[in-house]
Each structure stands twice: as structure tokens, then as C-alpha cells.
């Protein structure tokens, strides 16, 4: 078009045209300048980060937004490859972004825009990744097919990426954490549970979805979580504590639980998040630790701490109730020698065996403690009398008569025991233990293998009793027991109605002893069973002899203790004696004497019925002072009541005693029982008792207890009439 104009206008026109051309050009340049300035200003001030790369991939321009985003000045970046300049480029999965796949490179190579590529740009200075979405648009010069540059825009998505990361991290934690988690809505309905929750409780998401959180609350709990949660506030928005959780199988387990309240943007409760862990093992370990704190690990016995605690507590009760208690301090004799000779393993075995033997001997309510080394303490609370601990001490000493076998060794040991009593030897735990320990040292000094009370008198008494018991046990084989007989008489006619056998013991050094000095020892030691059988056997034999001789004796009265009746073989013993002696049971009357009938009445009543079924008569001794309740009296098939000496002695002088005796006689008759008075010494007593309606009598007025071959006795029996 310019060439045609040139031809038409000629030279002038050429000049004009040149001028026009120049003017147009400068106008165009101006326009271009203005446009470029506008463009530059736009480029610089736009929020979008923009970078231009040339055809070789080098940065040629970068705007301020991009500079800020990358945190690098443009002179560091311009002229360098984008990823060389300052950044390491990674893909979303964290792997390095290969250069040939980067959007700018692709756009340059393909000539097509590459959009929406997520890249992580590592900033070495800040040491973190910047996440951007990159669009790369190739630009072409007129007529060229290859882009001469590429425009790259970068949009910062770091925040979005971070929150995405946090969410996925929370999800990973929720499902992989070992603690059980369940989330409820504000109404405490379960909306979500994690995998550990199912593993711990057995409940799946399906089992519990939409159900109340109380479903997971065991009945064993004393706390109410709902109450705790109602106390939460904005300042304190979580609660922690021990909670018993329900397991689907109903095997509840203890858990340590944290409940956090989650509020929405308006501050209202939106959710509760319960996080809990099973603490069964921890609790077991804790219990074990608690056990170890108060027990000796070797013998499993209470240690000093627990012993002190128990004694302290018990002494308070004892003080309130006015009861007695005892501390027994045991020390194994020559234990050190065993430890040194056989080694510690054997020593430990011996201590364990000692603990076992002691425990086998004590009452349920007693405390056995390993106090130290080879020292053991037994605490006996509520003891009936001061002699009781001596019995246990004796048994403890005797238990070591049997050798101990440990690891193939036969060990013979002994123990020394010291006893202190509450309240007489001390009012507090320390003093009682200290004094029992002192007594134990005295026992060691006395030659070991024995016991000592802290109080010397009690020791003497206990030893006397012990030596008496020992001698008594030999009385049968040494033929030291002797039976005396005392007649029982009908008060009205003076007729002989029976003879009571009364045992005596010819003690080897102390001479003839009356029953009051040895019957209680025999009862305490259990020897009464053998003694009673001996009496029964000999009394029955004597009766058979008298009957054979034609003496007029109707009844042989034999005293029986409650301890004998408690033996399951008592009836069989009586049958055996009757069988061996050939005595007809109707000649035998058993007099139930002593205490102990009340405690075991049911068992005893059964035995008494069996005896009556054999044809034996029963009488109750010491009626009025003994321990038969009136209620039991109705149920016992007894024939006779024996009124105790004490009433008879004062029946003449004391109106009260006379009234009581009259009442006892009336009571006996009311129950259709015969009544015999004991201890009649004078005719006046006999008359008064007759007036009061008493049926029979026994006492020195007729005869004192005598030997069977006594001539007076035989004469009386032969005539059958006592002319008192
Ligand atoms: P008990 O059965 O009440 O025996 C009567 C006791 O009174 C006898 O004492 C007797 O000697 C005594 N006595 C008899 N007449 C008179 C009297 O006129 N005045 C006084 N003051 N006393 C009189 P003993 O022989 O010392 O027996 C005491 C107790 O020992 C007996 O009391 C009985 O409970 C018990 N006993 C005796 N022999 C045996 C026995 O073989 N086995 C059992 N378990 N206990 C026995
Ligand atoms: Mg009697």
C-alpha cells in the first residue's frame, strides 16, 4: 500500500510521506511507551505473582508479588533458570519435580498452556515449603510457531495445603492411636468411634452409633461422668479420671479417660471427645506395689508397717471394749548358723516354712508378721485371758519339733517366744513389741526353745500349768487317777438312789489332788477326752462289780464335760464302754458339767438325744450357776436338775437363797424333772430342802466321797437306807 502511494504522489509526496511516516512512528512509539508503562505498572502492582521466562527457560521478569511470594529479590532470580535460582521444586507426593515435566518447560516445549499444576517450592532461607498452583502460558511472536517466552502465574495455596495436611494427620491419628476414642454430639449420643475403641470395648461403630454414651459406662463406677461434664466451662473444658468401661462381653475394665468439650463458633457445646486407655495391667501392677508396700515379699506376710497399723487399730477397739490383747515375739534359734552353713536359698526356704507353720496355728483374727530377718510377731486381739497366749506360744514351740526339709536338707530348729500383754505390759504398739522382744531375749537366755511372759509371775504360772499338763497326760498310764464315790439319797425315805463318781489325781509330788486343780487344765489341753473315757470305763466297771456283789445301787452318775460331748465319737465311746463292761444303760446317768454347752447347743442336743435313745439318764450339774438357758432346757431330754452347793449352803441363813432354791425346785418340777440338792451337810438343811419340795440330796451329811472299798460305804449301800 505504501509503494502505491509513493508512485502516485511523486517526490514531494515521497517527502511528505516520509515525514508522515516519521510522525506516525513517533506517535506509535509514544503510544507504545505509554502502553508499556501501563503494562509495567500493572505487572508490578498486580496481586497475582507473575514470572516471565524466555525461550531457554531463564527468568526475564518477575513482579513484586512473585518476589514477595518467593521471598527473594529479583536480581537473584532474573537470568537464571526458575528452579535453579533459589528453589527446590517438589510434587504433591513429596518427590522431586523433574525439570522436563515442570509447567513452564512443558509450555515452552509444546507451545500449549499448562494449567493448575501444584508445586512445592522449597525456600532455603525460610527452610519451609511454599505450595503454589502454577499456570504457564506460552507467548508467540507474530508468525513464529515456537513461543519466545512463557508467562507463569503462581497462586499461593500453602495455608490450604497445611489445613489439608492437618486434617489428614488427625484422621491418621484417630484411626491409628492406641487409645480408644469416641465422639458424641452435644446430647451425648455417639457419632464416631475409632479402631482402638472397637479393639478395647468389643463394640463396633454400628453397635453404638446414635446410642447414648452411658451404654459404655460400667455399673462399677462410683462417679457419674455426666455430672462431671455439666461442670465444664470455657476455661476448664476437659475432665480426666478413672472410669470403669463396659465391654461388649460384660467383662468390664478400668480405663483412664479424658473427655474434652468441643464448642462451635458461637461458643455452644457441639461435641464431646472421649479418649480412654485400658489400665487393667497398670491397676494390677499398682495393687501389687500396694501389696509389696505392706507385705514381706519372701513370706507374703504383713510387714512391720501393716503390723503396726493393725495393732494400733485393734488397741483402740480393745481400749473401748476393755478387752485384752497380746504380742508374741518369735525368734528362730541359731538361724544365722543355718544361713551360713547351707546358704541363703535354704535360709529363705526355712523362713517361708516358718511363716506357713505359724499361720497354721493362729486364729483367723490374729496377725502374723515377718518383723525382720528371722523374727516374727504374732498379734492376738481379744484374748479371753492372760493364759491364752501361752497356749499359742507352746504350740509354736512344739511345731518346730518336726524337722523342716528344704532342698533335700533335714533341718532341726527351735524358736524362742516372748509375750507382752495389753493393757498390763504397755498401752501402745511400740511398747508392747519392745516388751515382747525383751521377754524373747529372756527366753533365749533361759536356754532357748521356750517362752517367757514380760511379767515374771505370769511366766511362772504358765510354766506351772504346762508342767502340770505334762504330768496329767501321763496320769493314766502311771495309774495315778482314782475314783471316789458319793451316795445320792431320796430326801423323804433316806433310800440310796445313786452314786456319783468323782475323780482324784495322785500327783507324783503334790499328793492327792481334787478335780478343781486339774479338770480345767484337762479341758484346756483336750486331755479331758481321755480322762473322761477312763472315768466312764472305771465307773461302769465298778457298778458292774457292785451289782455282781448284790449291793443295792441303782445309778452310777458320771460327770461329763461339754468338750467330750462335742466329739463326734462320744456316743460310740459310751456304747463301747457299755459293751465292754456289760453294764445295762439304765444304770448309767451322765451329769453334764462345766461350761461350753451354750455355744454349740444344736450339736450337743443331737448327741444328748442319741444318749437318751440308748437308755441313759441325763442330769444337769450346777443348775442355777451353770450356763444352760431355760430355752435349751426345754429341748434337752434331761431327767434331773442338780442344785449347786452355794444355794444349799445358805438356804437356812439367806432369804434370797431360800427363795431362789424354792424357785429352782419349782422350775424343775414345772418341767417334770427331779431335783437333787448338792452339798447337804446338816439335818436342818435337809429338812428345809424337803420342805421346799426337793426330791433328792447329796452331801457330807450322808457321806463324803469315799473309795469303793470303804467299809462305811459298803455297809450303807448294803442296807440301802441312810439314817441321817
Ligand atoms: P460336782 O459334780 O458338783 O461334784 C460334787 C462336788 O461337791 C464334789 O467335789 C464333792 O466332793 C463336793 N461335795 C460333796 N458333798 C459335799 C458337801 O456336803 N459339802 C461340800 N462343800 N462339798 C461337797 P469334787 O469331788 O471336788 O468335784 C468337784 C467337781 O469336779 C465336780 O462337781 C465335777 O463337776 C468335777 N468332776 C469330778 N469328777 C469329774 C470327772 O470325772 N469328770 C468331769 N468332767 N468332772 C469331774
Ligand atoms: Mg457332778
Amino acid at each position: 500500500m505504501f509503494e502505491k502511494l509513493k508512485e502516485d504522489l511523486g517526490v514531494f509526496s515521497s517527502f511528505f510521506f516520509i515525514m508522515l511516516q516519521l510522525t506516525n512512528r513517533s506517535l506509535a512509539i509514544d503510544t507504545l511507551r505509554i502502553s508499556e508503562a501501563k503494562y509495567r505498572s500493572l505487572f508490578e502492582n498486580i496481586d497475582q505473582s507473575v514470572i516471565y521466562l524466555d525461550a531457554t527457560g531463564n527468568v526475564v521478569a518477575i513482579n513484586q508479588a512473585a518476589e514477595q511470594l518467593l521471598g527473594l529479590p529479583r536480581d537473584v532470580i532474573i537470568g537464571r533458570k526458575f528452579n535453579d535460582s533459589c528453589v527446590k521444586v517438589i510434587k504433591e507426593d513429596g518427590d522431586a519435580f523433574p525439570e522436563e515435566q515442570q509447567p513452564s518447560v512443558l509450555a515452552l516445549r509444546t507451545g500449549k498452556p499448562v494449567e493448575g499444576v501444584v508445586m512445592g517450592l522449597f525456600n532455603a532461607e525460610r527452610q519451609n515449603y511454599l505450595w503454589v498452583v502454577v499456570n504457564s502460558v506460552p507467548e508467540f511472536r507474530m508468525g513464529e510457531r515456537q513461543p519466545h517466552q512463557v508467562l507463569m502465574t503462581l497462586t499461593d495455596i500453602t495455608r490450604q495445603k497445611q489445613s489439608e495436611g492437618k486434617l489428614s494427620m488427625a484422621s491418621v491419628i484417630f484411626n491409628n492411636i492406641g487409645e480408644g476414642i469416641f465422639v458424641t454430639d452435644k446430647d451425648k449420643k455417639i457419632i464416631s468411634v475409632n479402631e482402638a475403641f472397637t479393639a478395647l470395648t468389643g463394640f463396633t461403630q454400628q453397635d453404638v452409633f446414635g446410642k447414648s454414651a452411658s451404654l459404655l459406662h460400667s455399673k462399677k463406677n462410683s462417679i457419674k461422668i455426666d455430672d462431671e461434664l455439666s461442670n465444664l466451662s470455657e476455661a476448664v473444658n476437659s475432665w480426666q479420671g478413672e472410669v470403669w468401661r463396659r465391654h461388649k462381653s460384660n467383662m468390664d475394665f478400668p480405663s483412664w479417660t479424658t473427655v474434652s468439650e468441643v464448642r462451635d463458633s458461637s461458643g455452644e457445646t457441639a461435641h464431646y471427645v472421649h479418649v480412654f486407655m485400658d489400665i487393667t495391667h497398670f491397676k494390677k501392677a499398682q495393687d501389687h506395689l500396694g501389696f509389696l508396700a505392706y507385705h514381706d515379699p519372701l513370706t507374703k506376710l504383713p510387714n512391720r508397717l501393716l503390723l503396726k497399723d493393725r495393732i494400733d487399730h485393734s488397741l483402740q477397739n480393745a481400749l473401748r471394749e476393755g478387752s485384752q490383747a497380746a504380742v508374741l515375739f518369735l525368734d528362730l534359734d541359731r538361724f544365722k548358723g543355718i544361713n551360713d552353713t547351707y546358704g541363703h536359698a535354704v535360709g529363705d526356704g526355712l523362713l517361708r516354712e516358718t511363716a506357713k507353720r505359724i499361720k497354721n496355728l493362729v486364729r483367723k483374727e490374729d496377725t502374723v508378721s515377718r518383723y525382720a530377718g528371722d523374727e516374727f510377731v504374732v498379734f492376738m486381739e481379744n484374748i479371753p485371758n492372760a493364759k491364752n497366749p501361752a497356749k499359742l506360744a507352746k504350740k509354736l514351740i512344739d511345731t518346730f519339733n518336726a524337722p523342716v526339709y528344704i532342698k533335700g536338707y533335714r533341718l532341726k530348729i527351735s524358736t524362742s517366744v516372748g509375750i507382752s500383754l495389753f493393757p498390763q505390759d504397755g498401752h501402745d504398739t511400740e511398747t508392747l513389741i519392745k516388751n515382747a522382744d525383751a521377754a524373747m531375749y529372756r527366753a533365749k537366755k533361759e536356754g532357748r526353745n521356750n517362752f517367757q511372759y514380760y511379767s515374771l509371775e505370769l511366766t511362772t504360772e504358765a510354766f506351772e500349768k504346762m508342767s502340770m499338763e505334762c504330768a496329767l497326760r501321763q496320769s493314766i498310764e502311771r495309774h495315778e487317777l482314782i475314783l471316789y464315790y458319793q451316795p445320792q439319797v431320796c430326801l423323804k425315805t433316806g433310800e440310796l438312789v445313786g452314786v456319783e463318781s468323782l475323780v482324784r489325781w495322785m500327783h507324783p509330788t503334790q499328793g492327792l489332788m481334787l478335780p478343781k486343780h486339774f479338770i480345767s487344765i484337762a479341758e484346756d489341753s483336750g486331755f479331758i477326752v481321755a480322762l473322761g473315757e477312763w472315768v466312764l470305763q472305771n465307773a461302769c466297771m465298778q457298778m458292774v462289780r457292785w451289782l455282781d456283789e448284790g449291793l443295792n445301787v441303782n445309778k452310777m452318775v458320771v460327770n461329763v464335760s461339754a468338750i467330750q460331748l462335742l466329739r463326734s465319737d462320744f456316743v460310740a465311746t459310751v456304747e463301747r464302754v457299755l459293751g465292754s463292761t456289760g453294764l445295762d444303760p439304765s444304770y448309767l446317768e451322765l451329769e453334764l458339767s462345766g461350761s461350753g454347752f451354750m455355744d454349740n447347743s444344736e450339736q450337743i442336743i443331737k448327741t444328748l438325744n442319741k444318749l437318751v435313745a440308748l437308755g441313759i439318764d441325763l442330769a444337769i450339774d450346777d443348775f442355777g450357776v451353770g450356763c444352760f438357758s431355760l430355752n435349751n432346757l426345754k429341748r434337752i431330754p434331761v431327767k434331773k436338775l442338780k442344785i449347786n452347793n452355794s444355794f444349799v449352803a445358805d438356804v437356812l441363813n439367806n432369804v434370797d437363797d431360800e427363795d431362789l432354791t424354792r424357785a429352782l425346785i419349782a422350775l424343775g418340777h414345772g418341767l417334770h424333772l427331779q431335783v437333787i440338792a448338792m452339798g447337804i451337810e446338816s439335818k436342818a438343811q435337809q429338812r428345809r430342802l424337803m420342805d421346799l419340795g426337793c426330791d433328792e440330796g447329796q452331801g457330807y451329811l450322808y457321806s463324803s466321797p469315799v473309795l469303793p472299798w470303804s467299809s462305811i460305804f459298803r455297809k450303807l449301800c448294803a442296807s440301802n437306807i441312810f439314817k441321817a
Side-chain angles (χ1 to χ4, degrees):
M1 190 179 78
F2 282 120
E3 295 309 312
K4 178 93 179 51
L5 264 171
K6 254 195 286 179
E7 274 173 31
D8 293 350
L9 294 175
V11 175
F12 177 75
S13 65
S14 289
F15 174 76
F16 176 78
F17 188 75
I18 288 166
M19 284 302 290
L20 188 72
Q21 251 189 338
L22 283 172
T23 310
N24 277 348
R25 201 168 160 194
S26 85
L27 269 174
I29 287 170
D30 278 354
T31 311
L32 202 65
R33 271 204 193 111
I34 290 166
S35 139
E36 195 197 327
K38 264 189 199 163
Y39 158 77
R40 193 159 286 284
S41 165
L42 185 70
F43 176 73
E44 282 301 335
N45 295 310
I46 196 169
D47 283 345
Q48 177 73 56
S49 305
V50 183
I51 299 172
Y52 274 104
L53 309 174
D54 65 13
T56 62
N58 285 336
V59 177
V60 287
I62 173 166
N63 73 351
Q64 273 179 28
E67 259 182 322
Q68 269 169 16
L69 181 68
L70 298 174
L72 293 167
R74 63 188 63 193
D75 48 331
V76 174
I77 300 172
I78 290 176
R80 298 170 72 178
K81 287 252 172 5
F82 173 66
N83 53 327
D84 283 354
S85 57
C86 56
V87 285
K88 219 165 31 182
V89 184
I90 56 167
K91 295 197 285 188
E92 266 194 293
D93 60 9
D95 289 348
F97 215 133
E99 197 184 337
E100 64 279 9
Q101 289 173 19
Q102 287 179 16
S104 55
V105 179
L106 275 180
L108 279 171
R109 199 174 72 225
T110 62
K112 287 184 182 147
V114 179
E115 288 177 343
V117 177
V118 177
M119 294 170 80
L121 310 176
F122 185 76
N123 184 319
E125 197 182 1
R126 293 191 204 147
Q127 288 292 303
N128 64 3
Y129 274 97
L130 175 72
W131 287 94
V132 288
V133 176
V134 178
N135 293 332
S136 296
V137 182
E139 288 182 2
F140 298 88
R141 284 208 189 94
M142 198 93 75
E144 287 181 0
R145 299 185 73 189
Q146 275 300 312
H148 75 283
Q149 64 178 15
V150 66
L151 169 96
M152 217 164 86
T153 61
L154 295 88
T155 308
D156 184 1
I157 59 159
T158 309
R159 278 193 169 204
Q160 189 189 328
K161 272 299 249 187
Q162 276 170 347
S163 57
E164 265 174 28
K166 274 185 194 158
L167 271 177
S168 74
M169 190 163 71
S171 154
V172 169
I173 292 171
F174 188 74
N175 278 316
N176 292 294
I177 196 167
E179 277 92 352
I181 302 176
F182 65 96
V183 182
T184 73
D185 61 13
K186 65 177 183 351
D187 299 322
K188 325 235 168 69
K189 298 263 185 306
I190 300 166
I191 55 170
S192 180
V193 305
N194 71 345
E195 285 167 22
F197 171 93
T198 303
L200 290 171
T201 64
F203 290 110
T204 61
Q205 165 98 11
Q206 264 179 332
D207 293 333
V208 295
F209 184 78
K211 301 210 172 126
S212 165
S214 59
L215 169 83
L216 306 165
H217 203 66
S218 155
K219 285 187 188 127
K220 287 188 183 174
N221 283 309
S222 49
I223 49 149
K224 288 203 168 82
I225 295 194
D226 281 359
D227 292 350
E228 303 293 338
L229 297 186
S230 63
N231 292 331
L232 295 183
S233 62
E234 219 165 317
V236 181
N237 65 351
S238 69
W239 174 88
Q240 276 197 327
E242 210 177 297
V243 178
W244 279 88
R245 290 267 163 231
R246 255 195 71 201
H247 189 276
K248 196 173 178 182
S249 68
N250 284 332
M251 292 274 291
D252 297 353
F253 63 94
S255 77
W256 182 254
T257 294
T258 304
V259 189
S260 305
E261 187 187 30
V262 181
R263 290 173 186 244
D264 60 19
S265 51
S266 58
E268 293 299 313
T269 305
H271 298 109
Y272 291 101
V273 181
H274 297 241
V275 181
F276 62 95
M277 62 175 148
D278 183 351
I279 54 169
T280 309
H281 293 298
F282 171 74
K283 293 277 285 179
K284 273 192 190 151
Q286 200 181 31
D287 288 351
H288 186 61
L289 277 178
F291 180 85
L292 287 182
Y294 288 100
H295 292 83
D296 164 43
L298 181 69
T299 59
K300 310 278 183 289
L301 290 177
N303 63 11
R304 271 178 194 227
L305 269 178
L306 185 55
L307 174 76
K308 182 175 170 354
D309 205 56
R310 296 234 179 120
I311 302 184
D312 284 351
H313 182 74
S314 175
L315 292 187
Q316 281 172 12
N317 288 346
L319 206 60
R320 229 182 359 255
E321 289 160 11
S323 58
Q324 274 190 298
V327 171
L328 282 79
F329 201 107
L330 270 91
D331 187 287
L332 297 183
D333 298 328
R334 303 195 170 91
F335 174 75
K336 197 180 168 305
I338 289 178
N339 232 358
D340 293 346
T341 315
Y342 301 98
H344 286 272
V346 173
D348 285 354
L350 179 58
L351 291 171
R352 260 189 296 240
E353 176 62 21
T354 303
K356 211 160 86 189
R357 289 192 183 186
I358 299 174
K359 282 210 77 166
N360 282 343
L361 293 173
V362 301
R363 304 171 303 173
K364 231 178 32 238
E365 60 268 38
D366 297 336
T367 301
V368 182
S369 155
R370 181 171 174 216
Y371 196 69
D374 61 339
E375 293 171 346
F376 294 82
V377 167
V378 180
F379 175 67
M380 301 175 82
E381 61 180 5
N382 208 1
I383 51 167
N385 60 57
K387 291 175 192 158
N388 253 74
K391 277 194 220 169
L392 177 61
K394 177 80 175 54
K395 282 192 212 161
L396 289 168
I397 290 162
D398 290 348
T399 190
F400 292 104
N401 286 341
V404 181
Y405 293 92
I406 312 275
K407 294 188 182 286
Y409 295 108
R410 182 182 186 274
L411 307 172
K412 193 80 183 75
I413 55 156
S414 62
T415 184
S416 301
V417 183
I419 306 166
S420 66
L421 297 170
F422 171 85
Q424 48 269 61
D425 299 334
H427 285 96
D428 57 80
T429 308
E430 284 77 18
T431 315
L432 285 169
I433 293 180
K434 192 185 84 200
N435 290 346
D437 189 17
M440 185 275 294
Y441 268 98
R442 214 169 53 229
K444 291 242 179 215
K445 265 202 203 156
E446 295 287 324
R448 299 186 172 92
N449 198 25
N450 74 89
F451 70 86
Q452 292 278 323
Y453 274 95
Y454 181 65
S455 136
L456 283 173
E457 293 119 70
L458 276 172
T459 306
T460 317
E461 221 176 275
F463 275 99
E464 274 170 8
K465 196 181 158 194
M466 267 168 54
S467 68
M468 185 90 105
E469 189 188 309
C470 194
L472 187 60
R473 281 189 184 281
Q474 298 167 35
S475 60
I476 296 178
E477 64 209 47
R478 292 187 180 174
H479 307 289
E480 289 166 356
L481 296 179
I482 306 161
L483 278 184
Y484 276 56
Y485 297 92
Q486 188 177 32
Q488 296 181 337
V489 175
C490 170
L491 290 182
K492 266 189 205 148
T493 61
E495 241 177 302
L496 175 74
V497 287
V499 172
E500 182 176 9
S501 62
L502 294 160
V503 71
R504 272 96 182 94
W505 175 26
M506 184 58 81
H507 188 278
T509 54
Q510 295 178 33
L512 195 67
M513 285 179 95
L514 290 174
K516 65 175 175 198
H517 297 299
F518 62 88
I519 288 290
S520 64
I521 295 177
E523 285 179 335
D524 284 354
S525 63
F527 181 64
I528 192 74
V529 174
L531 184 147
E533 191 176 336
W534 181 91
V535 170
L536 187 68
Q537 177 80 30
N538 284 276
C540 289
M541 263 162 45
Q542 185 58 58
M543 187 65 180
V544 170
R545 230 174 275 139
W546 279 333
L547 290 172
D548 287 349
E549 288 173 18
L551 286 183
N552 251 327
V553 185
N554 297 328
K555 279 280 183 232
M556 172 55 76
V557 181
V558 175
N559 289 282
V560 173
S561 288
I563 293 160
Q564 289 172 267
L565 284 169
L566 277 171
R567 295 277 301 218
S568 55
D569 60 353
F570 183 69
V571 178
T573 304
V574 175
E575 282 183 294
R576 198 178 57 244
V577 169
L578 288 172
S580 70
T581 56
L583 182 69
D584 188 294
S586 63
Y587 284 109
L588 183 62
E589 180 176 299
L590 298 179
E591 213 171 84
L592 316 177
S593 57
S595 56
F597 288 97
M598 279 285 276
D599 306 346
N600 305 286
S601 50
E602 287 310 317
Q603 194 186 337
I604 287 180
I605 288 168
K606 265 189 201 160
T607 306
L608 296 180
N609 277 307
K610 284 185 194 162
L611 292 169
V612 170
L614 291 178
I616 296 167
D617 282 350
L618 300 178
I620 290 180
D621 209 349
D622 291 334
F623 190 66
V625 296
C627 54
F628 273 101
S629 73
L630 291 179
N631 196 33
N632 276 345
L633 200 57
K634 276 196 313 196
R635 302 167 61 206
I636 298 173
V638 58
K639 252 200 160 166
K640 208 186 267 185
L641 297 182
K642 194 173 195 181
I643 299 178
N644 181 260
N645 298 18
S646 56
F647 298 107
V648 177
D650 284 327
V651 77
L652 295 175
N653 323 321
N654 188 322
V655 185
D656 287 347
D657 273 341
E658 188 186 316
D659 288 346
L660 255 174
T661 310
R662 182 186 292 115
L664 290 175
I665 295 167
L667 178 75
H669 288 165
L671 292 166
H672 308 292
L673 306 177
Q674 286 181 314
V675 181
I676 177 167
M678 183 65 233
I680 303 178
E681 294 181 353
S682 70
K683 282 194 172 178
Q685 284 173 336
Q686 175 190 256
R687 261 196 306 277
R688 179 60 52 84
L689 285 160
M690 268 176 71
D691 293 346
L692 293 175
C694 187
D695 306 300
E696 297 169 359
Q698 181 180 343
Y700 298 160
L701 176 65
Y702 313 105
S703 165
S704 57
V706 288
L707 289 165
W709 52 84
S710 145
S711 57
I712 316 161
F713 182 72
R714 294 178 74 84
K715 232 166 47 199
L716 289 173
C717 288
S719 71
N720 190 25
I721 299 291
F722 285 81
K723 294 192 183 66

